[in-house]
Each structure stands twice: as C-alpha cells, then as structure tokens.
C-alpha cells in the first residue's frame, strides 16, 4: 500500500488547489473574452442594421437581433448556407424586413448583400427597397470595390442609393433591372472599368424582391430563430 507522509499530502493538496484555481481563472478569462467578442459582433451588426434603416427613418422597438429567421437552399438568395432574415417591428407591427443574400457572380466571387425592404402587404409587388449594404466581398481593390462605403464613402453611398424606392412595380419592366451598359434604360449605373460587379449586385437586389413576393407569408408566419428551407424551383 502506497505510503504518503504528511509533507507529501500537503504538497499534493497545494498542487491540486493551484491547479483548480488556474483552471477557474483561465476558464473565466476565456468566457469573458468570448462574451466580449459576441457583444462586439452584435453591436457591429446592429450598427449596420440601424444604418440601413435610417435612410428611410424606419422606426422599430423590438430586439431586431433576436427577431430573425434563417433560410437556406433558395434559388433567389443563392446560398446553401443559412442566411438571416431580420424583422423590424414597431409596437408589434412589421415596419421593415432585412434580407441577406448572395451575389454569386461578382468579379472575384461571391458578394454578401443586405437588402432592406419596406413591405406593402396590400400590394406586395409595391414593397420597396429602403437601401442596400455590402457586408462582405473580395472584389479588386480600387476597381471592383467602389461600392465599399468604408473606402469610398460618398461615391459608394451615392451609388447604393440608386436602389432606394425600387420595387417590382418600379420599374415594371424587368429588363431595366441591370446596368446601363447592358440596357440603355437600366436603373443602375456601372462605373468606369467595372461592369460585372454592379451587374451582380443589381441582380441580387432584384432577386430579393422576387423572393419576398413569393415567400412573404411564410416569413411572417415563421417563429423567430427558426431555420427553414424554402425552395422556389
């Protein structure tokens, strides 16, 4: 039988105590860091949502970061991953819906686009775009990224504002939902030396309107935080 003297017992107790305290401290620091990271991400996302809604003075008093449903495998949103749909309400009445979508055909790959809509439930085709924001891209610096408000704030904002108030009724001719290099009466300008990127973003915005027209009933009837698959093939 192992014989442990008093001195050894004391050393073992001290070692165990130090180990427990160390694990507790490391775990606490990790959890605090993770909470801070999550908090920063949420604040950043809320800042983007507030910015996109402020252009039309949209009011909401719900926790928009908790009023989300997730959609995947949809032909209009172009993603096999779950994408968020944020629902803004004021006194329980829907005032805006912000849908994240993918423009898969950017010059250097996919572009993540947030499209904010002001729904018109009496005439769903009249639901209009409040504004759009680009949240992630890999476009060529200085050429294909001129929609990036962090780099070209004034010019980028002016270009993104071209989408304001557009709907399936404005314009009714879907041929106009492109850039002017493709169609003279198009609603969106491209920029010098870059047509692929603005064309892709324009198509993505139009697809969001089509998606909302076909699926708005499912969206407003789905419980928050629920993950659903909507396939419009």
């Amino acid at each position: 039988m192992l014989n442990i003297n008093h001195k050894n017992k004391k050393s073992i107790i001290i070692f165990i105590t130090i180990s427990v305290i160390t694990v507790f401290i490391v775990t606490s620091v990790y959890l605090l860091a993770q909470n801070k990271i999550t908090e920063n991400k949420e604040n950043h996302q809320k800042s983007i949502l507030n910015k996109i809604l402020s252009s039309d003075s949209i009011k909401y008093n719900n926790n928009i970061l908790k009023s989300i449903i997730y959609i995947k495998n949809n032909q209009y949103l172009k993603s096999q991953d779950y994408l968020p749909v944020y629902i803004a309400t004021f006194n329980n009445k829907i005032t805006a819906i912000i849908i994240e979508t993918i423009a898969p055909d950017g010059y250097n790959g996919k572009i993540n686009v947030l499209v904010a809509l002001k729904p018109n439930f009496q005439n769903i085709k009249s639901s209009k775009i409040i504004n759009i924001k680009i949240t992630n891209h890999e476009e060529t610096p200085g050429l294909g990224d001129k929609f990036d408000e962090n780099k070209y704030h004034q010019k980028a904002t002016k270009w993104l504002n071209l989408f304001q108030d557009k709907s399936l009724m404005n314009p009714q001719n879907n041929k106009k939902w492109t850039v002017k290099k493709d169609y003279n009466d198009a609603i969106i300008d491209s920029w010098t030396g870059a047509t692929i990127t603005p064309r892709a973003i324009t198509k993505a915005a139009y697809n969001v309107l089509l998606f909302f027209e076909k699926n708005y009933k499912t969206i407003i009837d789905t419980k928050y935080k629920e993950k659903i698959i909507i396939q419009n093939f």
Side-chain angles (χ1 to χ4, degrees):
M1 187 174 180
L2 184 64
N3 184 24
I4 301 176
N5 60 37
H6 178 73
K7 185 176 181 181
N8 287 339
K9 283 183 179 180
K10 186 175 181 180
S11 297
I12 291 171
I13 292 171
I14 291 172
F15 174 77
I16 293 173
T17 303
I18 293 173
S19 298
V20 170
I21 293 172
T22 301
V23 169
F24 174 78
I25 292 173
V26 170
T27 302
S28 298
V29 170
Y30 173 79
L31 291 175
L32 286 172
Q34 289 299 111
N35 290 339
K36 190 63 178 178
I37 290 170
T38 300
E39 182 182 347
N40 288 341
K41 285 182 178 179
E42 289 182 351
N43 288 338
H44 176 68
Q45 189 65 12
K46 190 169 183 179
S47 174
I48 292 173
L49 296 174
N50 284 336
K51 189 174 181 180
I52 198 172
L53 293 177
S54 65
S55 59
D56 201 51
S57 301
I58 297 295
K59 291 183 178 181
Y60 71 92
N61 54 10
N62 64 315
N63 186 341
I64 197 168
L65 294 181
K66 294 187 181 298
S67 305
I68 311 172
I69 62 174
Y70 297 92
I71 298 171
K72 71 179 295 188
N73 286 353
N74 184 267
Q75 66 166 348
Y76 294 113
L77 304 186
K78 308 296 183 184
S79 177
Q80 294 182 350
D81 297 322
Y82 283 104
L83 292 174
V85 174
Y86 303 91
I87 301 175
T89 64
F90 187 76
N91 296 340
N92 295 319
K93 181 180 178 181
I94 295 176
T95 54
I97 294 178
I98 306 103
I99 300 171
E100 183 170 346
T101 187
I102 301 293
D105 42 4
Y107 186 79
N108 280 338
K110 70 177 185 179
I111 303 167
N112 291 65
V113 187
L114 273 180
V115 181
L117 302 178
K118 188 173 185 178
N120 182 341
F121 295 113
Q122 281 67 51
N123 182 359
I124 206 65
K125 284 182 177 288
S126 295
S127 298
K128 68 178 186 178
I129 293 176
I130 299 167
N131 211 334
I132 74 170
K133 298 292 177 189
I134 310 302
T135 58
N136 191 48
H137 70 89
E138 296 180 359
E139 298 303 276
T140 306
L143 181 61
D145 65 346
K146 292 185 179 178
F147 52 77
D148 192 330
E149 292 180 288
N150 293 323
K151 295 181 180 179
Y152 310 99
H153 179 72
Q154 189 171 355
K155 289 183 178 180
T157 301
K158 184 178 179 180
W159 186 79
L160 292 171
N161 285 349
L162 293 173
F163 292 92
Q164 289 182 356
D165 296 327
K166 298 298 185 292
S167 70
L168 294 178
M169 299 292 290
N170 175 31
Q172 290 184 331
N173 182 358
N174 61 11
K175 291 182 179 179
K176 293 184 178 182
W177 275 95
T178 186
V179 293
K180 291 185 177 179
K181 187 174 181 179
D182 296 337
Y183 189 76
N184 286 336
D185 292 330
I187 60 171
I188 301 298
D189 292 321
S190 56
W191 47 79
T192 304
T195 302
I196 294 175
T197 300
R199 182 192 291 130
I201 295 171
T202 302
K203 185 178 179 181
Y206 178 64
N207 279 339
V208 165
L209 290 170
L210 292 176
F211 166 79
F212 185 66
E213 178 197 14
K214 294 181 180 295
N215 301 291
Y216 72 94
K217 289 183 180 179
T218 302
I219 291 172
I220 61 179
D221 289 341
T222 301
K223 295 179 180 178
Y224 295 150
K225 292 292 185 181
E226 188 170 343
K227 294 184 176 181
I228 60 176
I229 296 176
I230 300 177
Q231 295 177 311
N232 304 118
F233 297 106

